[in-house]
Amino acid sequence: DAKTTQPPSMDCAEGRAANLPCNHSTISGNEYVYWYRQIHSQGPQYIIHGLKNNETNEMASLIITEDRKSSTLILPHATLRDTAVYYCIVRYISSGSARQLTFGSGTQLTVLP
Amino acid sequence: SQTIHQWPATLVQPVGSPLSLECTVEGTSNPNLYWYRQAAGRGLQLLFYSVGIGQISSEVPQNLSASRPQDRQFILSSKKLLLSDSGFYLCAWGNPLDTQYFGPGTRLTVL
């Protein structure tokens, strides 16, 4: 799985969009970009994933650059409950197999009132 | 929709005592199942995974074991706990494309 680089911390004002960047310059063509978050003392929560097209769900949007070397997770209207460590993970999908999910150090997002 | 349960939520056990943590999944069939451990301030360590009933793969040699007696039940056990077994234990299930969804976790303290 390709290595990812994320800023260690970010702040965001409540109600504003939170834009969390991730660099994955060595991503290969069949690797997906996944985002998880972990709120303090809770299990990690899946947010979204994508291959090359931008993706949106009820939680967030994922914007992947055309060269796929970086991506941005967007929380459109951040709330205090979005304060968490956000992890960007690049991994290939192997249908029918089971593989470890490896979390890096992530970005600590703090939403400020 | 799918849900994953873990219990207990917290556990304090003496060194040398046995351990049994249970994880169950609802709303899906034949999921991949995983046990991870997260030490304080550190990343996730995969302990065991299972692709089917009775099929267990171990990632790290240790005094823990896992079993999958039913399709949606995954159990983590130990006969004698060590101090180093303290941590946050997370169960996860994976869909056919192996997107993994985590349970709420069990915080284990071994004294």
Side-chain angles (χ1 to χ4, degrees), chain A residues 34 36 38 40-46 49 87 91 93-104, chain B residues 32 34 36 38 43-46 49-51 59 88 90 96-105 107:
Chain A
Y34 285 78
Y36 283 77
Q38 188 169 21
H40 183 62
S41 297
Q42 297 184 21
Q45 180 185 21
Y46 165 80
H49 75 281
Y87 298 97
R91 71 198 299 256
I93 288 177
S94 179
S95 181
S97 70
R99 293 173 52 239
Q100 172 160 3
L101 197 59
T102 301
F103 285 49
Chain B
N32 292 336
Y34 302 84
Y36 289 88
Q38 187 175 38
L44 293 179
Q45 177 187 33
L46 179 63
Y49 66 90
S50 170
V51 298
E59 290 292 303
F88 192 38
L90 291 155
L97 296 181
D98 208 33
T99 297
Q100 295 180 27
Y101 301 89
F102 289 82
R107 192 161 302 280

Side-chain angles (χ1 to χ4, degrees), chain A residues 35-47 59 75 79-87 103 106-111, chain B residues 38 41-42 44 88 90 102-105 107:
Chain A
W35 283 85
Y36 283 77
R37 71 181 183 183
Q38 188 169 21
I39 296 169
H40 183 62
S41 297
Q42 297 184 21
Q45 180 185 21
Y46 165 80
I47 302 173
M59 288 184 68
L75 307 179
T79 70
L80 299 179
R81 288 176 295 180
D82 292 321
T83 292
V85 180
Y86 287 77
Y87 298 97
F103 285 49
T107 296
Q108 170 65 58
L109 174 70
T110 302
V111 180
Chain B
Q38 187 175 38
R42 305 188 65 178
L44 293 179
F88 192 38
L90 291 155
F102 289 82
R107 192 161 302 280

